Amino acid sequence: PANILIALDISGSMTTTWGTSHRMYAAAQTIKNIVNRFGNIARFGLLRWNNGMTDDSAGPIVPLSAGSMSSNTTLLNLVNTYNSNVTLDTKHALYPHGGTRVDTRGMGYSSTYFNGSGNSFVLGNCSKTLILLISDGEWSGNLSPITVPSKEAQAAATTAASLKQKYGIVTTTIGIRDTALPATDPIYIDYQTVATAGGGGTPLFATDQAALESAIAQKLTSFLADAFSTTA
């Protein structure tokens, strides 16, 4: 199977009302649907990141499972603990809090994992690996003019490019927003910078839960088709 590491932004803005629920609940339900849909051909893991207030630096809360698909079951059990769209408490593993830091946390933690305990998934293994970076953040450190990627995005892109060159890991980006973004928007440019460096194509932005699931499914369908043809 292919390896899909979901690097999920759990910053405080993920509490924002999004349709009939909040962004984190929508993300959790989307992950559940995606794992149920693709879980027979891909193993999934989950890594949380914000600005360091939740520490997954030692490894994902749901690491990829070697030789089995058990991480899919573990991930489903975790997201299923959201039993209503109003569940937002500090005891929950996906409680949104803190700020957003994509370079040292979102991509930094992913790099630490694949250069450490996750190394077995990318060395001597013909299966493909994807980092699915999901965020609602406006990454900080914007330069002038605004058409230039932020410093944070540039640093994250350097990490994505390194993982691509070193291990063949692909990184793609999915944005959670309230409105559609033009390709000239600074946020779009940041997400595009990281996805391009990681070989993940064009970033996709979702304005509701259905669009989020569609965006992730679109990326996975394309990636998995390429993964199986490459493996064959």
Side-chain angles (χ1 to χ4, degrees), residues 2-43:
N3 306 305
I4 313 296
L5 180 66
I6 300 171
L8 180 64
D9 177 357
I10 62 164
S11 60
S13 57
M14 290 290 281
T15 63
T16 301
T17 299
W18 209 42
T20 59
S21 60
H22 52 79
R23 290 175 178 175
M24 186 56 75
Y25 176 81
Q29 300 313 300
T30 297
I31 290 170
K32 177 173 67 175
N33 294 339
I34 288 294
V35 173
N36 281 326
R37 180 172 173 180
F38 293 95
N40 61 328
I41 54 175
R43 63 167 65 90

PDB file of all heavy atoms in Angstrom, residues 2-43:
ATOM      1  N   ALA A   2       0.267   2.332  -0.467  1.00  0.00           N
ATOM      2  CA  ALA A   2       0.925   3.626  -0.364  1.00  0.00           C
ATOM      3  C   ALA A   2       0.846   4.128   1.076  1.00  0.00           C
ATOM      4  O   ALA A   2       0.008   3.690   1.858  1.00  0.00           O
ATOM      5  CB  ALA A   2       0.260   4.618  -1.303  1.00  0.00           C
ATOM      6  N   ASN A   3       1.736   5.050   1.429  1.00  0.00           N
ATOM      7  CA  ASN A   3       1.772   5.633   2.769  1.00  0.00           C
ATOM      8  C   ASN A   3       1.302   7.078   2.700  1.00  0.00           C
ATOM      9  O   ASN A   3       1.870   7.880   1.957  1.00  0.00           O
ATOM     10  CB  ASN A   3       3.203   5.602   3.318  1.00  0.00           C
ATOM     11  CG  ASN A   3       3.807   4.213   3.273  1.00  0.00           C
ATOM     12  OD1 ASN A   3       3.237   3.262   3.799  1.00  0.00           O
ATOM     13  ND2 ASN A   3       4.960   4.089   2.630  1.00  0.00           N
ATOM     14  N   ILE A   4       0.263   7.416   3.469  1.00  0.00           N
ATOM     15  CA  ILE A   4      -0.284   8.763   3.480  1.00  0.00           C
ATOM     16  C   ILE A   4      -0.181   9.321   4.898  1.00  0.00           C
ATOM     17  O   ILE A   4      -0.850   8.835   5.811  1.00  0.00           O
ATOM     18  CB  ILE A   4      -1.766   8.794   3.045  1.00  0.00           C
ATOM     19  CG1 ILE A   4      -1.991   7.975   1.772  1.00  0.00           C
ATOM     20  CG2 ILE A   4      -2.228  10.240   2.882  1.00  0.00           C
ATOM     21  CD1 ILE A   4      -1.279   8.493   0.546  1.00  0.00           C
ATOM     22  N   LEU A   5       0.687  10.319   5.082  1.00  0.00           N
ATOM     23  CA  LEU A   5       0.777  10.982   6.378  1.00  0.00           C
ATOM     24  C   LEU A   5      -0.021  12.274   6.302  1.00  0.00           C
ATOM     25  O   LEU A   5       0.320  13.192   5.551  1.00  0.00           O
ATOM     26  CB  LEU A   5       2.231  11.289   6.744  1.00  0.00           C
ATOM     27  CG  LEU A   5       2.405  11.997   8.102  1.00  0.00           C
ATOM     28  CD1 LEU A   5       1.990  11.074   9.248  1.00  0.00           C
ATOM     29  CD2 LEU A   5       3.850  12.468   8.299  1.00  0.00           C
ATOM     30  N   ILE A   6      -1.099  12.347   7.071  1.00  0.00           N
ATOM     31  CA  ILE A   6      -1.905  13.564   7.152  1.00  0.00           C
ATOM     32  C   ILE A   6      -1.279  14.470   8.208  1.00  0.00           C
ATOM     33  O   ILE A   6      -1.240  14.129   9.388  1.00  0.00           O
ATOM     34  CB  ILE A   6      -3.361  13.241   7.532  1.00  0.00           C
ATOM     35  CG1 ILE A   6      -3.991  12.316   6.490  1.00  0.00           C
ATOM     36  CG2 ILE A   6      -4.178  14.526   7.663  1.00  0.00           C
ATOM     37  CD1 ILE A   6      -5.356  11.777   6.895  1.00  0.00           C
ATOM     38  N   ALA A   7      -0.751  15.605   7.771  1.00  0.00           N
ATOM     39  CA  ALA A   7      -0.161  16.587   8.689  1.00  0.00           C
ATOM     40  C   ALA A   7      -1.207  17.685   8.904  1.00  0.00           C
ATOM     41  O   ALA A   7      -1.363  18.581   8.080  1.00  0.00           O
ATOM     42  CB  ALA A   7       1.127  17.155   8.112  1.00  0.00           C
ATOM     43  N   LEU A   8      -1.935  17.587  10.006  1.00  0.00           N
ATOM     44  CA  LEU A   8      -3.127  18.410  10.230  1.00  0.00           C
ATOM     45  C   LEU A   8      -2.854  19.578  11.166  1.00  0.00           C
ATOM     46  O   LEU A   8      -2.394  19.400  12.295  1.00  0.00           O
ATOM     47  CB  LEU A   8      -4.249  17.538  10.808  1.00  0.00           C
ATOM     48  CG  LEU A   8      -5.575  18.239  11.102  1.00  0.00           C
ATOM     49  CD1 LEU A   8      -6.223  18.759   9.825  1.00  0.00           C
ATOM     50  CD2 LEU A   8      -6.527  17.280  11.828  1.00  0.00           C
ATOM     51  N   ASP A   9      -3.156  20.764  10.698  1.00  0.00           N
ATOM     52  CA  ASP A   9      -3.089  21.987  11.491  1.00  0.00           C
ATOM     53  C   ASP A   9      -4.151  21.925  12.590  1.00  0.00           C
ATOM     54  O   ASP A   9      -5.337  21.765  12.313  1.00  0.00           O
ATOM     55  CB  ASP A   9      -3.347  23.165  10.544  1.00  0.00           C
ATOM     56  CG  ASP A   9      -3.395  24.530  11.225  1.00  0.00           C
ATOM     57  OD1 ASP A   9      -3.284  24.596  12.456  1.00  0.00           O
ATOM     58  OD2 ASP A   9      -3.577  25.514  10.498  1.00  0.00           O
ATOM     59  N   ILE A  10      -3.717  22.022  13.858  1.00  0.00           N
ATOM     60  CA  ILE A  10      -4.685  22.035  14.963  1.00  0.00           C
ATOM     61  C   ILE A  10      -4.588  23.349  15.736  1.00  0.00           C
ATOM     62  O   ILE A  10      -4.784  23.382  16.951  1.00  0.00           O
ATOM     63  CB  ILE A  10      -4.517  20.829  15.900  1.00  0.00           C
ATOM     64  CG1 ILE A  10      -3.140  20.838  16.564  1.00  0.00           C
ATOM     65  CG2 ILE A  10      -4.755  19.521  15.170  1.00  0.00           C
ATOM     66  CD1 ILE A  10      -3.056  19.911  17.761  1.00  0.00           C
ATOM     67  N   SER A  11      -4.310  24.436  15.021  1.00  0.00           N
ATOM     68  CA  SER A  11      -4.234  25.746  15.662  1.00  0.00           C
ATOM     69  C   SER A  11      -5.615  26.221  16.091  1.00  0.00           C
ATOM     70  O   SER A  11      -6.646  25.666  15.686  1.00  0.00           O
ATOM     71  CB  SER A  11      -3.597  26.758  14.707  1.00  0.00           C
ATOM     72  OG  SER A  11      -4.356  26.888  13.525  1.00  0.00           O
ATOM     73  N   GLY A  12      -5.644  27.253  16.907  1.00  0.00           N
ATOM     74  CA  GLY A  12      -6.889  27.724  17.506  1.00  0.00           C
ATOM     75  C   GLY A  12      -7.954  28.125  16.511  1.00  0.00           C
ATOM     76  O   GLY A  12      -9.156  28.006  16.795  1.00  0.00           O
ATOM     77  N   SER A  13      -7.554  28.577  15.326  1.00  0.00           N
ATOM     78  CA  SER A  13      -8.545  29.007  14.335  1.00  0.00           C
ATOM     79  C   SER A  13      -9.359  27.847  13.779  1.00  0.00           C
ATOM     80  O   SER A  13     -10.387  28.066  13.136  1.00  0.00           O
ATOM     81  CB  SER A  13      -7.857  29.745  13.184  1.00  0.00           C
ATOM     82  OG  SER A  13      -6.873  28.932  12.580  1.00  0.00           O
ATOM     83  N   MET A  14      -8.927  26.617  14.071  1.00  0.00           N
ATOM     84  CA  MET A  14      -9.706  25.455  13.629  1.00  0.00           C
ATOM     85  C   MET A  14     -10.996  25.303  14.438  1.00  0.00           C
ATOM     86  O   MET A  14     -11.817  24.430  14.150  1.00  0.00           O
ATOM     87  CB  MET A  14      -8.861  24.183  13.706  1.00  0.00           C
ATOM     88  CG  MET A  14      -7.754  24.122  12.664  1.00  0.00           C
ATOM     89  SD  MET A  14      -8.361  23.886  10.973  1.00  0.00           S
ATOM     90  CE  MET A  14      -8.680  22.118  10.969  1.00  0.00           C
ATOM     91  N   THR A  15     -11.182  26.153  15.456  1.00  0.00           N
ATOM     92  CA  THR A  15     -12.461  26.179  16.181  1.00  0.00           C
ATOM     93  C   THR A  15     -13.499  27.013  15.435  1.00  0.00           C
ATOM     94  O   THR A  15     -14.676  27.041  15.811  1.00  0.00           O
ATOM     95  CB  THR A  15     -12.295  26.767  17.586  1.00  0.00           C
ATOM     96  OG1 THR A  15     -11.859  28.128  17.475  1.00  0.00           O
ATOM     97  CG2 THR A  15     -11.285  25.985  18.403  1.00  0.00           C
ATOM     98  N   THR A  16     -13.087  27.728  14.395  1.00  0.00           N
ATOM     99  CA  THR A  16     -13.979  28.629  13.669  1.00  0.00           C
ATOM    100  C   THR A  16     -15.185  27.878  13.112  1.00  0.00           C
ATOM    101  O   THR A  16     -15.054  26.782  12.570  1.00  0.00           O
ATOM    102  CB  THR A  16     -13.225  29.293  12.500  1.00  0.00           C
ATOM    103  OG1 THR A  16     -12.104  30.012  13.031  1.00  0.00           O
ATOM    104  CG2 THR A  16     -14.121  30.251  11.728  1.00  0.00           C
ATOM    105  N   THR A  17     -16.366  28.471  13.270  1.00  0.00           N
ATOM    106  CA  THR A  17     -17.585  27.868  12.717  1.00  0.00           C
ATOM    107  C   THR A  17     -17.445  27.742  11.203  1.00  0.00           C
ATOM    108  O   THR A  17     -17.046  28.686  10.512  1.00  0.00           O
ATOM    109  CB  THR A  17     -18.806  28.725  13.058  1.00  0.00           C
ATOM    110  OG1 THR A  17     -18.938  28.789  14.493  1.00  0.00           O
ATOM    111  CG2 THR A  17     -20.073  28.123  12.470  1.00  0.00           C
ATOM    112  N   TRP A  18     -17.794  26.559  10.710  1.00  0.00           N
ATOM    113  CA  TRP A  18     -17.624  26.269   9.284  1.00  0.00           C
ATOM    114  C   TRP A  18     -18.863  25.511   8.825  1.00  0.00           C
ATOM    115  O   TRP A  18     -19.000  24.325   9.094  1.00  0.00           O
ATOM    116  CB  TRP A  18     -16.355  25.441   9.075  1.00  0.00           C
ATOM    117  CG  TRP A  18     -15.685  25.638   7.757  1.00  0.00           C
ATOM    118  CD1 TRP A  18     -15.477  26.799   7.107  1.00  0.00           C
ATOM    119  CD2 TRP A  18     -15.103  24.614   6.945  1.00  0.00           C
ATOM    120  NE1 TRP A  18     -14.791  26.578   5.931  1.00  0.00           N
ATOM    121  CE2 TRP A  18     -14.549  25.247   5.811  1.00  0.00           C
ATOM    122  CE3 TRP A  18     -14.991  23.221   7.060  1.00  0.00           C
ATOM    123  CZ2 TRP A  18     -13.898  24.553   4.797  1.00  0.00           C
ATOM    124  CZ3 TRP A  18     -14.340  22.531   6.057  1.00  0.00           C
ATOM    125  CH2 TRP A  18     -13.804  23.180   4.940  1.00  0.00           C
ATOM    126  N   GLY A  19     -19.798  26.214   8.203  1.00  0.00           N
ATOM    127  CA  GLY A  19     -21.058  25.580   7.844  1.00  0.00           C
ATOM    128  C   GLY A  19     -21.873  25.301   9.078  1.00  0.00           C
ATOM    129  O   GLY A  19     -22.140  26.197   9.887  1.00  0.00           O
ATOM    130  N   THR A  20     -22.258  24.044   9.288  1.00  0.00           N
ATOM    131  CA  THR A  20     -23.070  23.654  10.440  1.00  0.00           C
ATOM    132  C   THR A  20     -22.231  23.128  11.596  1.00  0.00           C
ATOM    133  O   THR A  20     -22.779  22.661  12.595  1.00  0.00           O
ATOM    134  CB  THR A  20     -24.087  22.581  10.024  1.00  0.00           C
ATOM    135  OG1 THR A  20     -23.375  21.440   9.501  1.00  0.00           O
ATOM    136  CG2 THR A  20     -25.027  23.115   8.952  1.00  0.00           C
ATOM    137  N   SER A  21     -20.909  23.178  11.472  1.00  0.00           N
ATOM    138  CA  SER A  21     -20.050  22.663  12.538  1.00  0.00           C
ATOM    139  C   SER A  21     -18.857  23.600  12.705  1.00  0.00           C
ATOM    140  O   SER A  21     -18.965  24.786  12.462  1.00  0.00           O
ATOM    141  CB  SER A  21     -19.591  21.237  12.192  1.00  0.00           C
ATOM    142  OG  SER A  21     -18.861  21.219  10.974  1.00  0.00           O
ATOM    143  N   HIS A  22     -17.725  23.078  13.146  1.00  0.00           N
ATOM    144  CA  HIS A  22     -16.501  23.857  13.200  1.00  0.00           C
ATOM    145  C   HIS A  22     -15.444  23.146  12.356  1.00  0.00           C
ATOM    146  O   HIS A  22     -15.597  21.987  11.979  1.00  0.00           O
ATOM    147  CB  HIS A  22     -16.027  24.057  14.645  1.00  0.00           C
ATOM    148  CG  HIS A  22     -15.919  22.798  15.449  1.00  0.00           C
ATOM    149  ND1 HIS A  22     -14.853  21.929  15.349  1.00  0.00           N
ATOM    150  CD2 HIS A  22     -16.755  22.249  16.365  1.00  0.00           C
ATOM    151  CE1 HIS A  22     -15.021  20.916  16.170  1.00  0.00           C
ATOM    152  NE2 HIS A  22     -16.172  21.080  16.801  1.00  0.00           N
ATOM    153  N   ARG A  23     -14.391  23.861  12.044  1.00  0.00           N
ATOM    154  CA  ARG A  23     -13.418  23.347  11.086  1.00  0.00           C
ATOM    155  C   ARG A  23     -12.783  22.026  11.515  1.00  0.00           C
ATOM    156  O   ARG A  23     -12.584  21.135  10.686  1.00  0.00           O
ATOM    157  CB  ARG A  23     -12.324  24.404  10.851  1.00  0.00           C
ATOM    158  CG  ARG A  23     -12.795  25.614  10.075  1.00  0.00           C
ATOM    159  CD  ARG A  23     -11.708  26.670   9.978  1.00  0.00           C
ATOM    160  NE  ARG A  23     -12.140  27.815   9.181  1.00  0.00           N
ATOM    161  CZ  ARG A  23     -11.429  28.918   9.009  1.00  0.00           C
ATOM    162  NH1 ARG A  23     -10.242  29.040   9.601  1.00  0.00           N
ATOM    163  NH2 ARG A  23     -11.898  29.916   8.260  1.00  0.00           N
ATOM    164  N   MET A  24     -12.466  21.880  12.803  1.00  0.00           N
ATOM    165  CA  MET A  24     -11.813  20.656  13.243  1.00  0.00           C
ATOM    166  C   MET A  24     -12.755  19.456  13.151  1.00  0.00           C
ATOM    167  O   MET A  24     -12.347  18.365  12.765  1.00  0.00           O
ATOM    168  CB  MET A  24     -11.282  20.805  14.677  1.00  0.00           C
ATOM    169  CG  MET A  24     -10.471  19.602  15.145  1.00  0.00           C
ATOM    170  SD  MET A  24      -9.075  19.215  14.054  1.00  0.00           S
ATOM    171  CE  MET A  24      -7.948  20.522  14.490  1.00  0.00           C
ATOM    172  N   TYR A  25     -14.018  19.675  13.518  1.00  0.00           N
ATOM    173  CA  TYR A  25     -14.989  18.592  13.384  1.00  0.00           C
ATOM    174  C   TYR A  25     -15.115  18.199  11.908  1.00  0.00           C
ATOM    175  O   TYR A  25     -15.132  17.005  11.571  1.00  0.00           O
ATOM    176  CB  TYR A  25     -16.350  19.017  13.925  1.00  0.00           C
ATOM    177  CG  TYR A  25     -17.430  17.975  13.723  1.00  0.00           C
ATOM    178  CD1 TYR A  25     -17.549  16.891  14.593  1.00  0.00           C
ATOM    179  CD2 TYR A  25     -18.326  18.067  12.667  1.00  0.00           C
ATOM    180  CE1 TYR A  25     -18.529  15.930  14.409  1.00  0.00           C
ATOM    181  CE2 TYR A  25     -19.304  17.111  12.467  1.00  0.00           C
ATOM    182  CZ  TYR A  25     -19.407  16.051  13.343  1.00  0.00           C
ATOM    183  OH  TYR A  25     -20.371  15.098  13.154  1.00  0.00           O
ATOM    184  N   ALA A  26     -15.205  19.186  11.028  1.00  0.00           N
ATOM    185  CA  ALA A  26     -15.313  18.900   9.598  1.00  0.00           C
ATOM    186  C   ALA A  26     -14.089  18.147   9.100  1.00  0.00           C
ATOM    187  O   ALA A  26     -14.197  17.206   8.298  1.00  0.00           O
ATOM    188  CB  ALA A  26     -15.490  20.196   8.820  1.00  0.00           C
ATOM    189  N   ALA A  27     -12.904  18.538   9.582  1.00  0.00           N
ATOM    190  CA  ALA A  27     -11.678  17.846   9.186  1.00  0.00           C
ATOM    191  C   ALA A  27     -11.683  16.403   9.675  1.00  0.00           C
ATOM    192  O   ALA A  27     -11.301  15.479   8.941  1.00  0.00           O
ATOM    193  CB  ALA A  27     -10.454  18.586   9.730  1.00  0.00           C
ATOM    194  N   ALA A  28     -12.134  16.196  10.907  1.00  0.00           N
ATOM    195  CA  ALA A  28     -12.183  14.840  11.465  1.00  0.00           C
ATOM    196  C   ALA A  28     -13.147  13.956  10.682  1.00  0.00           C
ATOM    197  O   ALA A  28     -12.835  12.799  10.375  1.00  0.00           O
ATOM    198  CB  ALA A  28     -12.586  14.897  12.937  1.00  0.00           C
ATOM    199  N   GLN A  29     -14.321  14.488  10.359  1.00  0.00           N
ATOM    200  CA  GLN A  29     -15.289  13.696   9.596  1.00  0.00           C
ATOM    201  C   GLN A  29     -14.776  13.405   8.189  1.00  0.00           C
ATOM    202  O   GLN A  29     -14.996  12.326   7.639  1.00  0.00           O
ATOM    203  CB  GLN A  29     -16.634  14.438   9.530  1.00  0.00           C
ATOM    204  CG  GLN A  29     -17.269  14.725  10.873  1.00  0.00           C
ATOM    205  CD  GLN A  29     -17.281  13.516  11.785  1.00  0.00           C
ATOM    206  OE1 GLN A  29     -17.864  12.484  11.467  1.00  0.00           O
ATOM    207  NE2 GLN A  29     -16.615  13.620  12.934  1.00  0.00           N
ATOM    208  N   THR A  30     -14.071  14.373   7.615  1.00  0.00           N
ATOM    209  CA  THR A  30     -13.487  14.170   6.291  1.00  0.00           C
ATOM    210  C   THR A  30     -12.431  13.080   6.326  1.00  0.00           C
ATOM    211  O   THR A  30     -12.393  12.204   5.452  1.00  0.00           O
ATOM    212  CB  THR A  30     -12.864  15.486   5.780  1.00  0.00           C
ATOM    213  OG1 THR A  30     -13.895  16.460   5.628  1.00  0.00           O
ATOM    214  CG2 THR A  30     -12.167  15.278   4.457  1.00  0.00           C
ATOM    215  N   ILE A  31     -11.574  13.120   7.336  1.00  0.00           N
ATOM    216  CA  ILE A  31     -10.542  12.083   7.466  1.00  0.00           C
ATOM    217  C   ILE A  31     -11.180  10.709   7.603  1.00  0.00           C
ATOM    218  O   ILE A  31     -10.738   9.728   6.987  1.00  0.00           O
ATOM    219  CB  ILE A  31      -9.633  12.394   8.667  1.00  0.00           C
ATOM    220  CG1 ILE A  31      -8.762  13.619   8.361  1.00  0.00           C
ATOM    221  CG2 ILE A  31      -8.755  11.196   9.012  1.00  0.00           C
ATOM    222  CD1 ILE A  31      -8.000  14.147   9.555  1.00  0.00           C
ATOM    223  N   LYS A  32     -12.243  10.620   8.399  1.00  0.00           N
ATOM    224  CA  LYS A  32     -12.935   9.342   8.554  1.00  0.00           C
ATOM    225  C   LYS A  32     -13.439   8.824   7.212  1.00  0.00           C
ATOM    226  O   LYS A  32     -13.239   7.652   6.864  1.00  0.00           O
ATOM    227  CB  LYS A  32     -14.106   9.501   9.532  1.00  0.00           C
ATOM    228  CG  LYS A  32     -14.942   8.242   9.695  1.00  0.00           C
ATOM    229  CD  LYS A  32     -15.977   8.401  10.798  1.00  0.00           C
ATOM    230  CE  LYS A  32     -17.023   9.425  10.443  1.00  0.00           C
ATOM    231  NZ  LYS A  32     -18.093   9.499  11.477  1.00  0.00           N
ATOM    232  N   ASN A  33     -14.074   9.690   6.440  1.00  0.00           N
ATOM    233  CA  ASN A  33     -14.616   9.276   5.146  1.00  0.00           C
ATOM    234  C   ASN A  33     -13.511   8.891   4.171  1.00  0.00           C
ATOM    235  O   ASN A  33     -13.655   7.936   3.394  1.00  0.00           O
ATOM    236  CB  ASN A  33     -15.474  10.395   4.555  1.00  0.00           C
ATOM    237  CG  ASN A  33     -16.724  10.660   5.362  1.00  0.00           C
ATOM    238  OD1 ASN A  33     -17.182   9.814   6.121  1.00  0.00           O
ATOM    239  ND2 ASN A  33     -17.290  11.856   5.224  1.00  0.00           N
ATOM    240  N   ILE A  34     -12.408   9.634   4.206  1.00  0.00           N
ATOM    241  CA  ILE A  34     -11.291   9.355   3.302  1.00  0.00           C
ATOM    242  C   ILE A  34     -10.624   8.024   3.638  1.00  0.00           C
ATOM    243  O   ILE A  34     -10.305   7.216   2.746  1.00  0.00           O
ATOM    244  CB  ILE A  34     -10.277  10.512   3.349  1.00  0.00           C
ATOM    245  CG1 ILE A  34     -10.842  11.747   2.647  1.00  0.00           C
ATOM    246  CG2 ILE A  34      -8.947  10.094   2.726  1.00  0.00           C
ATOM    247  CD1 ILE A  34     -11.059  11.592   1.152  1.00  0.00           C
ATOM    248  N   VAL A  35     -10.399   7.764   4.925  1.00  0.00           N
ATOM    249  CA  VAL A  35      -9.770   6.501   5.326  1.00  0.00           C
ATOM    250  C   VAL A  35     -10.682   5.329   4.975  1.00  0.00           C
ATOM    251  O   VAL A  35     -10.214   4.289   4.485  1.00  0.00           O
ATOM    252  CB  VAL A  35      -9.426   6.505   6.826  1.00  0.00           C
ATOM    253  CG1 VAL A  35      -8.928   5.131   7.272  1.00  0.00           C
ATOM    254  CG2 VAL A  35      -8.366   7.567   7.125  1.00  0.00           C
ATOM    255  N   ASN A  36     -11.975   5.483   5.195  1.00  0.00           N
ATOM    256  CA  ASN A  36     -12.909   4.414   4.816  1.00  0.00           C
ATOM    257  C   ASN A  36     -12.914   4.180   3.301  1.00  0.00           C
ATOM    258  O   ASN A  36     -13.073   3.049   2.838  1.00  0.00           O
ATOM    259  CB  ASN A  36     -14.320   4.752   5.287  1.00  0.00           C
ATOM    260  CG  ASN A  36     -14.521   4.484   6.761  1.00  0.00           C
ATOM    261  OD1 ASN A  36     -13.952   3.546   7.315  1.00  0.00           O
ATOM    262  ND2 ASN A  36     -15.322   5.306   7.422  1.00  0.00           N
ATOM    263  N   ARG A  37     -12.714   5.245   2.552  1.00  0.00           N
ATOM    264  CA  ARG A  37     -12.760   5.153   1.091  1.00  0.00           C
ATOM    265  C   ARG A  37     -11.478   4.571   0.491  1.00  0.00           C
ATOM    266  O   ARG A  37     -11.538   3.766  -0.447  1.00  0.00           O
ATOM    267  CB  ARG A  37     -13.019   6.544   0.513  1.00  0.00           C
ATOM    268  CG  ARG A  37     -13.101   6.606  -1.009  1.00  0.00           C
ATOM    269  CD  ARG A  37     -13.545   7.982  -1.452  1.00  0.00           C
ATOM    270  NE  ARG A  37     -13.498   8.163  -2.881  1.00  0.00           N
ATOM    271  CZ  ARG A  37     -13.831   9.272  -3.531  1.00  0.00           C
ATOM    272  NH1 ARG A  37     -14.272  10.312  -2.831  1.00  0.00           N
ATOM    273  NH2 ARG A  37     -13.742   9.353  -4.832  1.00  0.00           N
ATOM    274  N   PHE A  38     -10.329   4.962   1.042  1.00  0.00           N
ATOM    275  CA  PHE A  38      -9.047   4.566   0.440  1.00  0.00           C
ATOM    276  C   PHE A  38      -8.252   3.600   1.314  1.00  0.00           C
ATOM    277  O   PHE A  38      -7.145   3.213   0.942  1.00  0.00           O
ATOM    278  CB  PHE A  38      -8.188   5.811   0.182  1.00  0.00           C
ATOM    279  CG  PHE A  38      -8.727   6.730  -0.877  1.00  0.00           C
ATOM    280  CD1 PHE A  38      -9.519   7.822  -0.536  1.00  0.00           C
ATOM    281  CD2 PHE A  38      -8.451   6.510  -2.215  1.00  0.00           C
ATOM    282  CE1 PHE A  38     -10.012   8.687  -1.504  1.00  0.00           C
ATOM    283  CE2 PHE A  38      -8.935   7.366  -3.202  1.00  0.00           C
ATOM    284  CZ  PHE A  38      -9.722   8.453  -2.847  1.00  0.00           C
ATOM    285  N   GLY A  39      -8.810   3.194   2.449  1.00  0.00           N
ATOM    286  CA  GLY A  39      -8.050   2.413   3.416  1.00  0.00           C
ATOM    287  C   GLY A  39      -7.651   1.027   2.980  1.00  0.00           C
ATOM    288  O   GLY A  39      -6.808   0.403   3.625  1.00  0.00           O
ATOM    289  N   ASN A  40      -8.238   0.521   1.894  1.00  0.00           N
ATOM    290  CA  ASN A  40      -7.840  -0.802   1.435  1.00  0.00           C
ATOM    291  C   ASN A  40      -6.596  -0.768   0.552  1.00  0.00           C
ATOM    292  O   ASN A  40      -5.989  -1.810   0.289  1.00  0.00           O
ATOM    293  CB  ASN A  40      -8.991  -1.468   0.675  1.00  0.00           C
ATOM    294  CG  ASN A  40      -9.400  -0.680  -0.559  1.00  0.00           C
ATOM    295  OD1 ASN A  40      -9.313   0.550  -0.569  1.00  0.00           O
ATOM    296  ND2 ASN A  40      -9.851  -1.376  -1.595  1.00  0.00           N
ATOM    297  N   ILE A  41      -6.192   0.418   0.085  1.00  0.00           N
ATOM    298  CA  ILE A  41      -5.027   0.513  -0.789  1.00  0.00           C
ATOM    299  C   ILE A  41      -3.976   1.484  -0.247  1.00  0.00           C
ATOM    300  O   ILE A  41      -2.947   1.692  -0.891  1.00  0.00           O
ATOM    301  CB  ILE A  41      -5.424   0.942  -2.220  1.00  0.00           C
ATOM    302  CG1 ILE A  41      -6.237   2.247  -2.212  1.00  0.00           C
ATOM    303  CG2 ILE A  41      -6.176  -0.174  -2.920  1.00  0.00           C
ATOM    304  CD1 ILE A  41      -6.551   2.775  -3.592  1.00  0.00           C
ATOM    305  N   ALA A  42      -4.217   2.078   0.909  1.00  0.00           N
ATOM    306  CA  ALA A  42      -3.257   3.009   1.494  1.00  0.00           C
ATOM    307  C   ALA A  42      -3.312   2.923   3.009  1.00  0.00           C
ATOM    308  O   ALA A  42      -4.379   2.743   3.588  1.00  0.00           O
ATOM    309  CB  ALA A  42      -3.544   4.441   1.046  1.00  0.00           C
ATOM    310  N   ARG A  43      -2.159   3.033   3.635  1.00  0.00           N
ATOM    311  CA  ARG A  43      -2.114   3.128   5.095  1.00  0.00           C
ATOM    312  C   ARG A  43      -1.947   4.597   5.465  1.00  0.00           C
ATOM    313  O   ARG A  43      -1.164   5.323   4.868  1.00  0.00           O
ATOM    314  CB  ARG A  43      -0.993   2.276   5.690  1.00  0.00           C
ATOM    315  CG  ARG A  43       0.401   2.660   5.307  1.00  0.00           C
ATOM    316  CD  ARG A  43       1.436   1.965   6.198  1.00  0.00           C
ATOM    317  NE  ARG A  43       1.436   0.537   6.028  1.00  0.00           N
ATOM    318  CZ  ARG A  43       2.199  -0.111   5.140  1.00  0.00           C
ATOM    319  NH1 ARG A  43       2.987   0.565   4.342  1.00  0.00           N
ATOM    320  NH2 ARG A  43       2.176  -1.417   5.068  1.00  0.00           N
TER     321      ARG A  43
END
